[in-house]
Amino acid sequence: MATANRGQWSGKTAFILAAAGSAIGLGNIWRFPYTAGENGGGAFVLIYLGFVFLVGIPVVLAELSIGRKTEKNPVGAFKALVPKSLWPYLGGLGVATGFAILSFYAVLAGWTLSYLYGAVVGIYGGPMTGAESQDLFVHLIGDPTLTISLTAVFLLLTVLIVRKGVSGGIELATKILMPMLFVILVILAVRSVTLPGGLEGLEYLFKPDFSKIDGGVIMSALGQALFSLSLGMGAMITYGSYFPKNENIFQAGIAVALFDTGIAILAGLIIFPALFSVGVAPDSGPGLVFVVLPSIFGSLPAGQFFAVAFYALLSIAALTSTISLLEVVVSYFVDEKGWTREKAAWILGATCFFFGIPSALSNGGAEMFTTNFLGTGLSFLDLNNVIWGNFSLTIGALLLCIFVGWKWGIPAAFESLESSGHKLPGSKLLGILIKFVCPIAVGIVLVYIVATQQYF
Ligand code: TRP
């Protein structure tokens, strides 16, 4: 009965779209380009891709195996597999991380809404210099009333969908809109690559300069791989728990990872050529995408149409990601605390808004959150992005691999993945990755970062 109440995806394609919807979001289009730009380009991209395949895909499958077996939220899942142990606290860390990421992610998603509005009223259809675009951006993100209101609007949209449950709201939003986003991205990439000076951007993105690599770059690449795939906090445990029993979950997991990575690279193909073409510095930080994009729209025929379509789809991509963040927290309160879905969605959404306010004030809205928060040299928002988006996910992924590899056991995980009757291809390799390669690689990165204190 529990299953019937919790809901289920209508099939494999629906799951792929929903999980891809979770994975594809601002992480690909906002976070990937600016992080690659701050960390020197090609070498970062190469390390990021390495982590996607060596750590990301194994962790996707590890999370899905737990979700499918237990049909539970992250805390309940560990309670079911290893009751009376400390493991459920790992699930708890995941739920807390989801909440924390949502609190700043919703702020950025709010910026997207504002750009959508700007596009609709025709601000981004004509030519715009880098400096003009920068001005607009700084003005927008520094306006406290606007950023706080847009954060609220975005969380409200998220709550309205999550309260309806998995198949009602989430599936519908992704089925048509994700493919549309892809088409628009391809068009923008073609435009950007053919801009004067665009090839320089491609070189920056793909030609590794290994002298740029240090601990911080490696940590950022690992954090980005996990963040982009929605890993390390139980989102895929939760989504896997709704997976129909008779479908091939392995194929679905791989498809999601490949889609997500493809979209990130596509975003890179849009941003980097354009950035060199208009003369914006690659390491301009979190505002990069917002500042660079208007210049591409200005150079396109029917620029306003593309601007509207792009910001609308980006808002929706962000929405399918905030849905997954809130869904993890909601499923915990529904399964473990007996709340109704409706109550959990509203209360948690409202609480998250409250915690998001300092992030909304982090770019000029309030001085204390904007510069050098707690002496870290970062704003409140950027600091949260590093703590939860890099460190917490990395620690979560490390412990998850240790759990699946050494506590629960690879055979049990594989039995769960194969329970539909589809055999796992390359299962030996996958076992080695989960048991040895992932924990060792992730462990080394963490120890190195702490030892050298290159946290950011
Ligand atoms: N992966 C999403 C993005 O790239 C963000 C996201 C959604 C996420 N759910 C998550 C990140 C869970 C980490 C964990 O935009």
Side-chain angles (χ1 to χ4, degrees):
M1 273 300 102
T3 315
N5 291 334
R6 299 185 78 249
Q8 205 180 67
W9 308 113
S10 59
K12 187 170 72 189
T13 317
F15 167 84
I16 293 178
L17 287 168
S22 163
I24 296 166
L26 299 172
N28 309 60
I29 292 162
W30 155 74
R31 202 179 192 266
F32 172 75
Y34 98 75
T35 311
E38 276 185 338
N39 288 289
F44 169 91
V45 174
L46 203 65
I47 301 173
Y48 157 76
L49 290 176
F51 279 133
V52 166
F53 287 97
L54 286 181
V55 178
I57 290 182
V59 175
V60 169
L61 294 168
E63 285 202 21
L64 290 177
S65 70
I66 295 176
R68 172 182 247 190
K69 172 76 189 170
T70 59
E71 299 183 39
K72 289 264 164 57
N73 67 86
V75 176
F78 286 107
K79 274 192 190 159
L81 294 176
V82 276
K84 299 209 177 62
S85 69
L86 290 176
W87 289 104
Y89 287 101
L90 173 58
L93 174 69
V95 172
T97 304
F99 186 85
I101 292 180
L102 179 59
S103 77
F104 71 81
Y105 198 97
V107 172
L108 299 157
W111 297 357
T112 313
L113 286 184
S114 160
Y115 272 79
L116 173 58
Y117 172 79
V120 171
V121 299
I123 298 182
Y124 309 115
M128 189 183 283
T129 65
E132 283 166 344
S133 174
Q134 178 79 24
D135 265 3
L136 265 177
F137 178 68
V138 170
H139 188 73
L140 156 71
I141 62 175
D143 180 337
T145 322
L146 186 65
T147 47
I148 292 177
S149 324
L150 291 175
T151 305
V153 170
F154 210 87
L155 283 169
L156 181 68
L157 293 173
T158 310
V159 167
L160 289 176
I161 297 187
V162 169
R163 67 190 259 275
K164 293 208 145 171
V166 286
S167 51
I170 305 176
E171 277 192 36
L172 202 73
T174 33
K175 241 179 184 153
I176 311 161
L177 299 166
M178 285 295 118
M180 273 170 65
L181 175 67
F182 183 76
V183 172
I184 295 271
L185 288 177
V186 170
I187 295 171
L188 292 181
V190 169
R191 169 68 273 208
S192 184
V193 170
T194 52
L195 283 171
L199 290 181
E200 220 179 310
L202 289 187
E203 195 164 298
Y204 185 83
L205 186 61
F206 292 121
K207 205 165 151 201
D209 171 358
F210 291 105
S211 68
K212 300 234 168 95
I213 297 178
D214 63 15
V217 172
I218 296 175
M219 182 69 211
S220 306
L222 176 58
Q224 179 58 27
L226 297 172
F227 187 96
S228 190
L229 292 168
S230 301
L231 297 176
M233 47 71 73
M236 289 300 146
I237 295 183
T238 310
Y239 273 31
S241 76
Y242 306 124
F243 199 83
K245 288 285 175 203
N246 55 349
E247 300 269 13
N248 187 341
I249 204 166
F250 173 80
Q251 245 178 32
I254 301 280
V256 170
L258 295 181
F259 270 150
D260 181 70
T261 308
I263 297 271
I265 297 295
L266 205 49
L269 289 177
I270 297 171
I271 303 302
F272 286 96
L275 153 175
F276 279 91
S277 177
V278 290
V280 173
D283 59 354
S284 337
L288 184 67
V289 177
F290 290 97
V291 173
V292 169
L293 277 170
S295 63
I296 310 183
F297 299 127
S299 76
L300 271 173
Q304 185 181 1
F305 165 79
F306 281 108
V308 172
F310 175 81
Y311 289 116
L313 292 165
L314 184 58
S315 304
I316 290 156
L319 186 60
T320 53
S321 298
T322 54
I323 288 167
S324 82
L325 289 162
L326 185 60
E327 175 62 28
V328 172
V329 191
V330 163
S331 72
Y332 166 71
F333 279 89
V334 169
D335 290 353
E336 304 303 311
K337 303 285 170 199
W339 292 16
T340 62
R341 180 168 268 282
E342 179 88 30
K343 169 178 159 189
W346 283 110
I347 291 184
L348 296 165
T351 319
C352 195
F353 167 65
F354 184 72
F355 280 94
I357 292 176
S359 288
L361 297 175
S362 280
N363 287 282
E367 177 61 26
M368 76 170 282
F369 298 121
T370 300
T371 41
N372 203 8
F373 185 71
L374 297 180
T376 52
L378 298 177
S379 73
F380 181 85
L381 191 159
D382 294 347
L383 182 65
N384 270 280
N385 186 17
V386 170
I387 292 178
W388 303 102
N390 284 347
F391 281 93
S392 186
L393 296 181
T394 304
I395 292 167
L398 171 66
L399 293 174
L400 193 103
C401 288
I402 294 176
F403 175 77
V404 171
W406 299 92
K407 174 78 193 165
W408 189 35
I410 299 286
F414 284 4
E415 192 188 302
S416 163
L417 292 172
E418 288 178 337
S419 60
S420 57
H422 300 84
K423 275 219 81 49
L424 269 185
S427 57
K428 235 204 173 109
L429 172 66
L430 187 59
I432 294 172
L433 287 173
I434 296 179
K435 212 167 162 173
F436 300 104
V437 177
C438 297
I440 292 173
V442 176
I444 290 176
V445 175
L446 277 173
V447 169
Y448 182 76
I449 290 293
V450 174
T452 57
Q453 305 197 344
Q454 302 179 47
Y455 298 112
F456 314 120

